[in-house]
Amino acid sequence: RFCALLTSNFPFVLTLHLLLGLIRKLTTETKLILFLEMSLESKLANLSLGDETSVVEAIKADGVEKSGFASNIAALIAKCASNDDSEAIAGLTTVKAVAEGASEAEAFNSQCLAAALEQAASKSADVKKATSAAAIAICKNITPFAMKSLLPAIFAQLPVEKKWEVRALALDCIAVFNEKAPRQLGNALPEIVPEVTACMWDTKKQVKEAATNAMKSACEVIGNKDIEHMTSKIITAVTKPKEVPEIMHQMAGVTFVQSVESPALAMVVPLLLRGLREKITATKRQSAVIIENMSKLVDNPLDAAPFLPLLLPALEQNAESIADPEAREVTARAVGQLQRLKSLADKQASVRGDISKISSLFKSAFGADDSNVNVKTVIDHASIAATTMMDLHYMEDVQWSKYIGPMFKSYFDAAKISEAVEKVRAEAETMLEIPDEDDEEDDSEELCNCQFTLAYGTKILLHNTKMRLKRGKRYGLLGGNDSGKTTLMRSIANNQVEGFPDVSQVRTVFVEADIQGEQSHLSCIDYVFADEKIQALGCTKEHIREVLATVGFVPDGKAKPDHAVSTLSGGWRMKLALARAMLQKADILLLDEPTNHLDVINVAWVKNYLNSLKDVTSIIVSHDSGLLNDCCTNILQIENLKLHTFKGNLDEFVKIKPQARAYFNFTESKLKFRFPQPGPIEGVKSKGKALMKMSNCTFTYPKNDKPTLYDITVQVSLSSRVACVGENGAGKSTMIKLLVGEIEPQIGEVWKHPNARIAYVAQHAFHHIENHLTKTPNEYIRWRYANQGEDKESLVKVTMQFTEEEEKLQKTPFEISFTDEETGKVTKVKKVVSELIGGRKQNKSKEYEYEVKYAGSNSDSGDYLPAKTLKKMGWEKAMKAVDLKIAQRAGLYVRPLSTKNVEQHLEDCGLAREFGTHYRMSALSGGQKVKVVLAAAMWNQPHILILDEPTNYLDRESLGALAGAIEEFEGGVVMITHNNEFCSKLCPETWVMDAGHLETKGDADWMLKQDTKIEAQEQITEMTDAAGNVTKVKGAKKQLSKKEEKQMIKKIKAKIKNGENLDTEEEEFAVEKDLM
């Protein structure tokens, strides 16, 4: 109608009037259609409040490019930044609407964020409100993976020069990402945390609150359960430096189990840096320990890369400047760990998302260049999102199609977008691949290919590591003591390793020589038959007897199949365990030190047996380099919580890893043990004087017909260095048990100097501590010696328990003669001694007398009886117990039994203080437990050290340290070992056991040392106990000459006559000489 009127002669003014009336009657939808016909360029240039809906619809209808939004984004930015409140509000409202309704335009709309944030300082409340809504809308609605594209605009508003309102809003934007893009926020934390941390110190309350809120939001996305309970304390540490030492102490108690990624590091590194810069050495040390522990759990070294330039210099400075040597050593370990991470990160620099590389790939895939500015903007935006997806391992084609594809909708057709995005994704995926080490090309069946984490108690042993095993291969498993070798094998056997084939698919057998106490009474055949797995296979006792016979268990042999397993030596126990494994027809044999306790003949048998198993896979833990060279086809090494595989035997492995020689070469050991030197022994002036003797001893085990030992005579002195050798079952351990009093001979005599202290580490060393596994090593040693230095373990020996005959003698009245000193009258009385009180002195004949308490007496009589008399009364063992206590107490006055001293002693014996003081013994490895037993035995400064198979559980580094300590030890040493290298280095004297008979061999040079005089040792004058109490300590009495003795007698007699008081020394001398 309007067009018809215009072509007629109808007056123009009336026509226009009719048009306006028509428009009033149009619907909103019709008005919008008319508005769309106008150019978006002119709309943005003349934007007013209410136009935002039409802008969004224009983008939806024609796309970001065709609509003109992309090309005219500068006009919208200008509106947002306008000083005119109505223009600014219109621009900001449009930005909010586009953010919420037209996601395709985010690459361009997000460019308005900087202008929006600036308006937070506006004087208009309406503008401020629109500003906040627009900024928050951009951050909430952006593609999560593209959130990093907003960070430069946000960070630009945080410097202190900016107005506080602007800074507070920028920080609020960061907090928003917690809702819509938590994982992506975590990925960006390395960049965000330093910026936010600086604002938490701001003097403006609003900025400080906004920064703290942003930091709390960031802490919620770190994704690490180990430290999430510490996040509030970490935030506190930023603003309250005085809290840092206490918070560091709490952090040091955190057990790290989960993989450590960049979000967790971003949160913790500021705290660690503060800890490293503290004045308190303990805090610096704790920081270093935490850094070392966390860095071991970093799976991707590139996660740590941004923080290494911050931490390494601070650590290196501390490693040089800290005064405490132990703290310096701990810090140096942390430095080494970070340097290892740095080298790994440098090698892997190409596997991280690289924006420039991805941008080039997009340009190539779409055939685009920089001439089209808008396409370039979209490609740059998509590249940021794509690299974040790479970092977070969102690499599925559907994921890229969902998040990246829509960004190009306005510029290319759907087919081209799909093809190009997939091409870039495939290329990006190859960038993330880390090529595996070349695997051997053979046709062997794969038994296992798994990835797992392994912990023991609170300690992580292996973390996200891979293990691949093939049939018929023999793998030597290497690693230092405490690295988790035995735990790994036991976990495999117990079906506790994630991804390892179930026992129903792959039959796995763990071979160990330890016999459970409740089964020790069983015969060898019954012991094997009692195994549930053996019974499940339907094995008969006759079949078991046949298999045992093949490894030497025969009725007329050294190990009889029908005798109890408790009678077997260590070597025969291992052969029994191997025979049991043979019966189970294993696919995988797990062997823990299979040559322990074995002589040369049996070691050769084990090697031949393992090499004959062509279809059985073996994993072998051993410190026997010959076994690993002769048997292994591959080496598995545990290092830095990872399992590394190498082809070849031990020699081939050492060529690749020369530092691994420390596992097998004593001289390569950097570890040092230090044993306390033995104290003086009253009456012993020569190192060659015997302190222990066995004379013509014969011993037969109960139920055995033949003696195990025949007519054995030996002696041990301070200068002894004896290796006891012989084949399995020859009687070596039995002889040592006789020598130390664990058992008693049926014929012959065993003697020990009453003042000598003996340290004994048994072959099955763990029996010393098996009843105390809930104690820490430190607690165990303090418990063991708590009663004035007495060793509680020594009083449970068979030789210290009274027999029925002895108890009968003790209850029988014995005639005792008393002489009256004044009249000389002799009185004979029959008395019964009820106990020995603990006193001991020498009489004029230089014989010992012991203080006794008589039956029926309510108080100590102070009477002493000679040793000969007490022996007849059945108290010989009690006298030995008194001698032992006195000898042990003599070892007490060197250092008090305090936690700190025991901790240092354990460290001197190779057990780090973390394990010595803070770990229960149940959580320790076999090697660590041996160190505990050794340290406990050495605490009271023994004169003789007796070791039964010390090489069984210690790695070569610890053995080297043990050898060094023995060389410097000034007491006597007797050891049983099959390790020729170990004993030949240390022992010039050899006791050769053969079927119960002993032959001694000695070196002439060694014999010359027998008359070496004992050097005088420094005597301390006071000691401080754990509570800080100082006690004066009497030194050893000076030996008086005859002339000095006469003068002393004369002086004391004169004092007594004149009624003068005697001092302590004079009184003791008077009692000794019967002057009182």
Side-chain angles (χ1 to χ4, degrees):
R1 288 178 58 195
F2 175 66
C3 294
L5 288 170
L6 284 176
T7 55
S8 69
N9 292 324
F10 201 74
F12 178 77
V13 175
L14 290 174
T15 304
L16 186 61
H17 182 74
L18 287 170
L19 175 62
L20 291 172
L22 179 65
I23 289 173
R24 288 190 190 100
K25 294 179 181 180
L26 291 175
T27 63
T28 303
E29 185 178 345
T30 313
K31 289 180 184 178
L32 183 59
I33 293 169
L34 286 172
F35 188 88
L36 291 177
E37 291 176 355
M38 296 173 62
S39 164
L40 195 59
E41 179 180 358
S42 61
K43 290 171 189 171
L44 291 175
N46 301 289
L47 198 63
S48 61
L49 190 63
D51 291 342
E52 61 274 4
T53 306
S54 59
V55 173
V56 172
E57 291 300 331
I59 298 170
K60 283 182 174 180
D62 295 332
V64 70
E65 179 65 26
K66 190 176 178 182
S67 67
F69 185 82
S71 300
N72 294 283
I73 191 63
L76 183 57
I77 293 172
K79 288 293 181 185
C80 292
S82 175
N83 291 326
D84 183 283
D85 289 354
S86 60
E87 283 190 359
I89 291 171
L92 292 166
T93 305
T94 301
V95 167
K96 177 179 181 290
V98 171
E100 293 173 343
S103 59
E104 178 192 342
E106 71 175 37
F108 302 95
N109 196 51
S110 60
Q111 296 175 30
C112 300
L113 180 61
L117 290 171
E118 290 282 0
Q119 287 286 25
S122 173
K123 294 179 181 178
S124 167
D126 291 336
V127 173
K128 284 184 177 180
K129 184 178 179 182
T131 292
S132 178
I136 298 299
I138 290 172
C139 297
K140 273 189 175 181
N141 294 284
I142 195 163
T143 300
F145 295 100
M147 58 82 63
K148 275 190 178 182
S149 65
L150 302 178
L151 295 182
I154 293 173
F155 292 164
Q157 307 304 326
L158 293 180
V160 71
E161 296 80 17
K162 296 288 183 178
K163 293 183 178 180
W164 70 263
E165 297 94 340
V166 175
R167 300 171 71 203
L169 181 56
L171 289 163
D172 289 342
C173 287
I174 292 174
V176 165
F177 295 132
N178 170 293
E179 273 180 66
K180 299 294 183 179
R183 288 205 65 195
Q184 295 79 0
L185 174 61
N187 179 249
L189 284 185
E191 301 159 51
I192 291 173
V193 168
E195 299 286 346
V196 176
T197 301
C199 296
M200 292 176 71
W201 282 87
D202 204 86
T203 53
K204 201 69 180 176
K205 180 183 175 183
Q206 292 87 339
V207 175
K208 192 172 183 178
E209 286 178 355
T212 302
N213 185 48
M215 187 66 88
K216 285 180 180 176
S217 296
C219 283
E220 290 173 7
V221 302
I222 59 175
N224 191 298
K225 293 181 180 179
D226 298 336
I227 59 171
E228 61 184 12
H229 67 287
M230 292 290 298
T231 51
S232 60
K233 293 182 173 64
I234 292 171
I235 293 171
T236 301
V238 175
T239 53
K240 296 180 180 178
K242 290 182 180 179
E243 302 282 337
V244 170
E246 175 59 28
I247 294 170
M248 287 303 305
H249 185 74
Q250 293 178 35
M251 275 290 289
V254 173
T255 300
F256 292 98
V257 177
Q258 192 174 339
S259 293
V260 174
E261 298 174 339
S262 58
L265 287 169
M267 294 308 306
V268 174
V269 163
L271 174 63
L272 295 175
L273 279 172
R274 283 189 176 277
L276 291 173
R277 291 166 184 161
E278 281 287 318
K279 293 180 181 179
I280 305 169
T281 298
T283 305
K284 291 180 177 180
R285 182 188 181 278
Q286 285 171 335
S287 300
V289 170
I290 294 167
I291 290 170
E292 183 187 13
N293 290 342
M294 289 189 73
S295 62
K296 287 178 180 177
L297 298 180
V298 175
D299 286 335
N300 186 350
L302 293 174
D303 280 335
F307 310 104
L308 297 178
L310 299 171
L311 292 174
L312 256 177
L315 271 174
E316 288 169 342
Q317 182 180 347
N318 283 0
E320 294 176 3
S321 61
I322 293 177
D324 182 0
E326 193 272 340
R328 274 204 315 274
E329 183 183 339
V330 168
T331 307
R333 285 205 309 268
V335 170
Q337 184 64 23
L338 288 197
Q339 287 173 339
R340 182 188 69 86
L341 264 183
K342 185 176 185 301
S343 66
L344 292 173
D346 292 342
K347 291 177 186 176
Q348 294 183 24
S350 61
V351 301
R352 200 76 172 179
D354 187 316
I355 294 174
S356 62
K357 287 183 181 178
I358 296 298
S359 180
S360 298
L361 288 174
F362 273 125
K363 289 174 184 176
S364 174
F366 284 112
D369 56 33
D370 293 345
S371 59
N372 188 326
V373 177
N374 291 344
V375 172
K376 180 180 182 298
T377 299
V378 174
I379 286 177
D380 289 345
H381 187 70
S383 299
I384 292 172
T387 51
T388 302
M389 293 182 79
M390 291 171 67
D391 292 345
L392 296 175
H393 301 286
Y394 279 72
M395 295 306 296
E396 297 298 325
D397 51 0
V398 292
Q399 294 168 336
W400 280 55
S401 177
K402 177 182 177 181
Y403 292 109
I404 305 295
M407 296 179 183
F408 297 98
K409 190 167 68 172
S410 288
Y411 299 93
F412 306 98
D413 60 54
K416 181 64 176 175
I417 293 171
S418 179
E419 179 191 349
V421 170
E422 176 56 24
K423 184 177 180 182
V424 174
R425 186 201 68 80
E427 286 286 336
E429 202 163 33
T430 61
M431 291 182 189
L432 296 177
E433 291 177 1
I434 302 173
D436 289 333
E437 297 174 12
D438 292 337
D439 194 20
E440 54 197 292
E441 295 295 330
D442 60 25
D443 299 326
S444 301
E445 177 191 350
E446 187 177 85
L447 293 179
C448 160
N449 191 351
C450 60
Q451 184 168 338
F452 62 95
T453 292
L454 181 69
Y456 187 81
T458 58
K459 185 184 180 186
I460 299 296
L461 302 172
L462 290 165
H463 184 72
N464 273 7
T465 194
K466 293 180 180 178
M467 179 169 64
R468 189 180 184 195
L469 304 175
K470 290 196 168 186
R471 186 176 291 280
K473 303 297 179 185
R474 293 178 294 280
Y475 297 88
L477 180 57
L478 302 185
N481 267 1
D482 323 328
S483 60
K485 302 182 295 295
T486 301
T487 303
L488 172 60
M489 295 206 298
R490 199 179 292 279
S491 299
I492 292 172
N494 293 338
N495 213 25
Q496 294 171 332
V497 172
E498 184 181 356
F500 197 89
D502 188 84
V503 289
S504 60
Q505 300 171 293
V506 177
R507 191 173 293 157
T508 307
V509 179
F510 186 43
V511 181
E512 57 181 339
D514 285 345
I515 307 293
Q516 297 300 319
E518 61 270 17
Q519 295 181 319
S520 60
H521 67 286
L522 298 176
S523 71
C524 296
I525 289 176
D526 289 338
Y527 172 74
V528 174
F529 187 72
D531 191 302
E532 293 178 359
K533 294 176 182 176
I534 298 290
Q535 292 184 11
L537 291 169
C539 292
T540 63
K541 289 189 177 183
E542 289 69 26
H543 181 49
I544 293 172
R545 187 181 294 275
E546 290 172 10
V547 173
L548 287 181
T550 63
V551 296
F553 286 85
V554 291
D556 57 348
K558 291 178 181 174
K560 299 172 177 58
D562 295 307
H563 279 199
V565 290
S566 59
T567 64
L568 297 179
S569 66
W572 282 102
R573 290 186 183 197
M574 179 54 74
K575 293 187 80 171
L576 183 65
L578 280 168
R580 184 171 58 174
M582 291 164 64
L583 282 161
Q584 293 182 49
K585 300 175 183 176
D587 294 306
I588 298 178
L589 274 181
L590 306 169
L591 301 120
D592 190 7
E593 300 289 359
T595 57
N596 269 7
H597 314 292
L598 297 185
D599 54 31
V600 177
I601 298 169
N602 284 313
V603 168
W605 178 86
V606 169
K607 289 178 183 178
N608 292 333
Y609 172 67
L610 292 176
N611 288 333
S612 69
L613 302 173
K614 301 302 180 186
D615 294 322
V616 177
T617 298
S618 304
I619 301 180
I620 307 164
V621 170
S622 179
H623 297 119
D624 183 345
S625 53
L627 177 72
L628 297 180
N629 266 328
D630 294 343
C631 294
C632 290
T633 59
N634 300 75
I635 297 293
L636 298 172
Q637 185 195 23
I638 297 176
E639 186 178 40
N640 293 314
L641 307 185
K642 299 293 181 186
L643 195 61
H644 306 279
T645 306
F646 301 85
K647 297 175 192 173
N649 62 7
L650 179 64
D651 284 343
E652 294 299 316
F653 170 68
V654 169
K655 289 176 186 176
I656 302 169
K657 290 259 190 176
Q659 64 270 31
R661 277 184 211 280
Y663 296 142
F664 303 97
N665 193 331
F666 295 150
T667 59
E668 298 287 336
S669 176
K670 295 179 181 178
L671 187 64
K672 300 293 181 189
F673 288 3
R674 287 179 292 275
F675 290 161
Q677 296 302 337
I681 307 180
E682 187 179 346
V684 178
K685 302 300 180 185
S686 168
K687 283 191 173 183
K689 185 172 181 178
L691 298 182
M692 304 178 79
K693 288 182 184 178
M694 285 173 60
S695 302
N696 310 114
C697 290
T698 297
F699 176 80
T700 306
Y701 277 106
K703 298 183 181 179
N704 281 12
D705 300 326
K706 292 183 179 179
T708 304
L709 299 176
Y710 297 89
D711 196 28
I712 303 294
T713 299
V714 293
Q715 70 176 40
V716 184
S717 68
L718 281 172
S719 60
S720 292
R721 287 290 187 280
V722 182
C724 185
V725 298
E727 64 181 31
N728 294 129
K732 304 182 297 298
S733 295
T734 303
M735 182 185 72
I736 294 300
K737 287 180 180 178
L738 277 177
L739 187 62
V740 299
E742 292 276 330
I743 54 179
E744 289 184 291
Q746 285 86 12
I747 301 172
E749 183 181 354
V750 179
W751 173 86
K752 179 182 79 70
H753 192 287
N755 293 331
R757 295 185 294 275
I758 313 299
Y760 172 50
V761 179
Q763 185 182 69
H764 307 290
F766 303 155
H767 88 266
H768 294 281
I769 59 173
E770 61 188 7
N771 295 324
H772 306 280
L773 296 178
T774 56
K775 295 183 177 77
T776 67
N778 198 310
E779 289 169 344
Y780 167 67
I781 290 177
R782 286 186 286 120
W783 165 84
R784 182 165 163 176
Y785 292 99
N787 188 19
Q788 297 183 334
E790 293 175 16
D791 184 357
K792 293 187 177 78
E793 297 277 347
S794 64
L795 300 178
V796 297
K797 294 178 182 176
V798 172
T799 50
M800 289 297 186
Q801 308 300 314
F802 295 123
T803 63
E804 289 183 9
E805 186 179 343
E806 287 169 333
E807 288 178 344
K808 186 178 179 181
L809 278 173
Q810 291 168 9
K811 293 173 183 176
T812 304
F814 191 85
E815 189 177 89
I816 302 171
S817 300
F818 294 97
T819 304
D820 189 303
E821 293 180 4
E822 294 182 1
T823 62
K825 184 180 178 183
V826 177
T827 306
K828 293 183 180 180
V829 182
K830 285 192 175 184
K831 289 199 172 190
V832 174
V833 172
S834 62
E835 63 177 307
L836 269 57
I837 295 171
R840 188 187 71 183
K841 66 178 184 179
Q842 279 187 322
N843 57 26
K844 293 178 181 179
S845 304
K846 300 296 182 183
E847 293 176 349
Y848 282 126
E849 293 183 349
Y850 294 84
E851 189 175 6
V852 299
K853 182 178 181 180
Y854 294 113
S857 174
N858 295 324
S859 60
D860 299 342
S861 63
D863 288 339
Y864 284 78
L865 291 179
K868 290 179 181 177
T869 302
L870 287 170
K871 186 175 180 180
K872 294 176 184 176
M873 298 173 73
W875 290 99
E876 183 179 9
K877 289 176 181 176
M879 289 189 288
K880 286 183 180 179
V882 171
D883 293 339
L884 189 62
K885 287 181 181 180
I886 292 172
Q888 288 168 352
R889 286 174 183 173
L892 173 69
Y893 293 104
V894 174
R895 49 188 170 179
L897 194 67
S898 65
T899 301
K900 185 176 180 181
N901 284 340
V902 174
E903 184 178 84
Q904 182 60 53
H905 176 68
L906 284 162
E907 206 158 32
D908 288 343
C909 292
L911 191 68
R913 60 183 63 190
E914 269 85 2
F915 299 106
T917 304
H918 304 293
Y919 278 68
R920 287 183 173 181
M921 289 192 287
S922 58
L924 301 184
S925 69
Q928 289 172 322
K929 287 176 181 174
V930 168
K931 291 173 184 176
V932 174
V933 173
L934 186 61
M938 296 300 294
W939 171 257
N940 68 347
Q941 296 177 278
H943 300 101
I944 305 294
L945 172 60
I946 298 176
L947 302 168
D948 193 348
E949 296 284 8
T951 61
N952 280 349
Y953 292 93
L954 297 178
D955 60 20
R956 293 295 273 220
E957 188 175 23
S958 297
L959 278 180
L962 177 61
I966 288 174
E967 282 184 321
E968 296 176 4
F969 182 58
E970 293 181 8
V973 178
V974 178
M975 67 177 76
I976 298 175
T977 179
H978 293 298
N979 189 317
N980 184 58
E981 181 187 0
F982 188 74
C983 68
S984 61
K985 178 184 178 183
L986 297 169
C987 302
E989 182 183 4
T990 306
W991 296 345
V992 182
M993 289 294 299
D994 184 14
H997 296 277
L998 180 72
E999 179 186 358
T1000 58
K1001 296 181 180 179
D1003 180 352
D1005 291 336
W1006 173 80
M1007 294 295 184
L1008 294 175
K1009 299 176 185 176
Q1010 292 298 299
D1011 292 325
T1012 304
K1013 296 294 181 184
I1014 297 175
E1015 297 176 4
Q1017 298 200 2
E1018 183 180 350
Q1019 297 290 308
I1020 63 171
T1021 58
E1022 63 182 32
M1023 67 161 276
T1024 307
D1025 65 18
N1029 302 311
V1030 178
T1031 306
K1032 296 293 180 183
V1033 177
K1034 293 181 289 185
K1037 293 180 184 178
K1038 180 186 174 184
Q1039 192 69 33
L1040 300 179
S1041 65
K1042 288 186 178 180
K1043 184 178 180 181
E1044 289 172 331
E1045 193 173 300
K1046 284 182 179 180
Q1047 290 174 344
M1048 179 65 81
I1049 292 171
K1050 186 177 180 182
K1051 178 183 175 182
I1052 290 173
K1053 281 183 175 179
K1055 277 191 171 188
I1056 293 172
K1057 185 177 180 181
N1058 297 328
E1060 297 177 26
N1061 292 328
L1062 303 179
D1063 62 30
T1064 305
E1065 286 188 10
E1066 289 170 339
E1067 189 173 339
E1068 288 179 356
F1069 184 83
V1071 171
E1072 184 181 334
K1073 299 298 180 182
D1074 289 330
L1075 301 177
M1076 296 177 67

